[in-house]
Amino acid sequence: MIKINEHYTEIGNNYLFAEIARRVREYKETHPDKKVISLGIGDITRPIVPAVIEAIHKATEEMGKVESVRGYAPDAGYDFLIHAIVKNDFTDRGIQLNPDEVFVSDGAKSDTGNIGDILDRNNRVAITDPAYPVYVDTNKMTGRQIELLPCTPDNHFVPTFPKKTADVIYLCYPNNPTGTVLTKEQLKKWVDYALEHQSLILFDAAYEAFISQPDIPHSIYEIDGAKKCAIEFRSFSKTAGFTGMRAGYTVVPKELIAKTSKGEIVSLNALWKRRQSTKFNGTAYIVQRGAEAVYSSEGQKQIKETIAYYMENARIIQNALHDELGRTTFGGVNAPYIWVKTPDNMSSWEFFDLLLNKIQIVGTPGSGFGKAGEGFFRFTAFGNRENTREAIERMKKLMN
Ligand code: MLT
């Protein structure tokens, strides 16, 4: 008889964004005449920049020729991309990394979800609340004990240390969903905590390209000692519009070690390498060439324009909700998300239903990211300008 992983029965039927998509689909089927605007999932609307498209075309041509066709990609990524990553994202920021500490993948969602493969089920896990649902869901799938670290206006969205010592800690900064950040000093406290307790920090930096203020760390490795206690996840999805192309990478420093139950020292880098080479067949050559072009001078200029476009959307949403409608808002300055308190103490899902049914706007209910997100709502700045403005006008009419 088939035995299932029963932990799957303990998590809801649907992943948050799948549930939202289901509700929106249902609404559209019953209201085909209504124009629904999505400011829900953080999915891009601007085209992929010309420098990347050009590189993809060139790589596609190469694949059509006998002398340049490529088969399986190296499990950890092509050297050309890894070198571009190391130089631009780290060396230029004063961080020394070896190429074999970088693992190119199909995105941060997979990596933050899969990293648990190399970690024992009995690790005590601490996760900020609210959080990107992948962290909680994947740990529940494995049956790990989770302590949630509430991040609310009361603590200025700065998590306090877990009550029971955590072996593994998930931090995402700039934060999804709240759009808030940690300063270097605040992040240093977590690095110090991890070093003191021999814990591992899983640092999701998928939104680092949206940082606009100084003294906000782009990488956890800007903090001394972090290479001994942290794995960092990066993504091309939001930085360069790769949500549909799929590329990201994970840094697992060689200094990062753990012990077996017998006390033998093992390298997490070696374990992740083993995991990836067994379960992952590499990111497509064409996509990796596209990702490499993100780092060209043209590519950098172009992606910065796209990021500025999205951040102008963030400013528009923030201005309307905060300045004109008097709502309490957070984020939107160093991240493409605006976190807003729901009106009249409505629950997050009540507000979702209200916006969808009354003005056909889709956002993401804060409670979908965790208990501490109840009573909040997330808007994304990744919409197109026209729809963002229209959504704001509809909200002004509804809430004024
Ligand atoms: C989000 O909306 O939180 C993200 O786009 C989801 C993701 O990156 O998978």
Side-chain angles (χ1 to χ4, degrees):
M1 198 172 92
I2 299 168
K3 296 182 186 62
I4 60 152
N5 175 352
E6 297 214 0
H7 296 301
Y8 274 69
T9 63
E10 293 153 17
I11 55 178
N13 277 346
N14 275 339
Y15 179 60
L16 172 63
F17 293 106
E19 175 60 20
I20 291 171
R22 187 191 66 76
R23 292 187 187 210
V24 173
R25 208 169 39 243
E26 236 174 61
Y27 180 85
K28 283 181 175 170
E29 274 163 19
T30 46
H31 303 82
D33 53 320
K34 300 278 191 205
K35 179 185 170 192
V36 176
I37 296 179
S38 176
L39 300 181
I41 190 166
D43 199 2
I44 55 120
T45 53
R46 300 306 294 159
I48 289 166
V49 299
V52 172
I53 292 296
E54 207 177 294
I56 291 170
H57 278 309
K58 197 163 154 253
T60 307
E61 290 301 323
E62 284 178 52
M63 293 300 250
K65 292 187 189 130
V66 69
E67 63 276 17
S68 50
V69 64
R70 310 268 182 144
Y72 292 121
D75 306 316
Y78 283 102
D79 285 347
F80 61 77
L81 177 55
I82 292 177
H83 283 115
I85 288 169
V86 170
K87 180 188 176 307
N88 293 279
D89 288 345
F90 298 97
T91 315
D92 289 357
R93 287 194 181 277
I95 299 161
Q96 300 312 314
L97 280 188
N98 289 319
D100 54 2
E101 294 177 306
V102 174
F103 296 83
V104 174
S105 70
D106 66 348
K109 181 178 184 179
S110 317
D111 287 358
T112 52
N114 291 331
I115 196 73
D117 272 18
I118 64 167
L119 302 170
D120 188 82
R121 199 182 77 81
N122 294 312
N123 280 299
R124 292 192 57 84
V125 174
I127 304 178
T128 52
D129 177 13
Y132 182 39
V134 170
Y135 316 150
V136 168
D137 284 3
T138 55
N139 277 289
K140 282 192 176 166
M141 285 170 177
T142 316
R144 287 199 188 92
Q145 278 188 45
I146 302 170
E147 179 174 339
L148 294 171
L149 312 174
C151 295
T152 63
D154 293 342
N155 60 10
H156 305 286
F157 299 95
V158 178
T160 46
F161 296 135
K163 289 195 185 76
K164 291 196 180 150
T165 303
D167 305 303
V168 180
I169 301 149
Y170 286 74
L171 297 177
C172 170
Y173 290 98
N175 186 255
N176 178 15
T178 62
T180 57
V181 286
L182 290 186
T183 61
K184 279 194 184 149
E185 207 180 303
Q186 288 165 333
L187 186 56
K188 183 178 180 314
K189 290 190 180 152
W190 280 96
V191 170
D192 291 346
Y193 173 96
L195 291 171
E196 185 189 335
H197 296 93
Q198 299 185 7
S199 328
L200 171 66
I201 297 178
L202 298 174
F203 190 73
D204 186 349
Y207 298 93
E208 66 78 32
F210 295 83
I211 293 172
S212 65
Q213 292 178 316
D215 200 40
I216 307 299
H218 288 248
S219 164
I220 195 165
Y221 305 121
E222 288 175 42
I223 313 293
D224 281 345
K227 279 202 213 161
K228 287 192 165 58
C229 65
I231 289 177
E232 180 163 305
F233 304 93
R234 293 279 189 108
S235 170
F236 291 94
S237 288
K238 316 296 156 79
T239 306
F242 276 48
T243 51
M245 299 242 289
R246 309 307 310 147
Y249 67 88
T250 289
V251 178
V252 190
K254 290 206 161 154
E255 288 169 51
L256 196 50
I257 50 152
K259 283 189 187 148
T260 64
S261 52
K262 291 186 190 127
E264 294 150 340
I265 289 181
V266 289
S267 146
L268 292 187
N269 177 288
L271 293 190
W272 185 243
K273 186 173 175 187
R274 186 71 173 85
R275 191 265 171 212
Q276 289 298 81
S277 55
T278 306
K279 293 194 177 182
F280 181 61
N281 243 344
T283 303
Y285 172 70
I286 297 169
V287 173
Q288 292 198 49
R289 279 293 184 200
E292 180 194 22
V294 167
Y295 296 106
S296 66
S297 51
E298 273 307 290
Q300 281 294 296
K301 192 171 146 276
Q302 293 164 359
I303 65 156
K304 281 184 181 139
E305 280 165 17
T306 305
I307 288 170
Y309 175 99
Y310 291 135
M311 292 312 280
E312 175 60 12
N313 283 349
R315 197 194 58 77
I316 291 169
I317 298 171
Q318 169 89 359
N319 271 6
L321 291 175
H322 183 267
D323 301 351
E324 296 181 50
L325 289 171
R327 309 301 324 152
T328 306
T329 59
F330 304 91
V333 175
N334 294 298
Y337 295 122
I338 292 93
W339 188 243
V340 57
K341 185 91 198 73
T342 58
D344 306 324
N345 289 322
M346 290 175 96
S347 77
S348 302
W349 280 106
E350 279 167 355
F351 192 52
F352 174 90
D353 287 336
L354 178 82
L355 292 188
L356 179 60
N357 291 312
K358 288 264 184 317
I359 56 170
Q360 294 76 48
I361 302 299
V362 180
T364 310
S367 57
F369 297 99
K371 213 163 130 225
E374 182 56 278
F376 286 89
F377 205 73
R378 192 195 76 173
F379 290 107
T380 162
F382 287 112
N384 74 38
R385 183 66 43 78
E386 198 192 331
N387 281 348
T388 302
R389 284 199 194 281
E390 190 177 334
I392 288 301
E393 288 314 312
R394 291 187 200 176
M395 278 192 263
K396 280 197 222 161
K397 276 199 198 121
L398 179 76
M399 297 200 276
N400 239 340

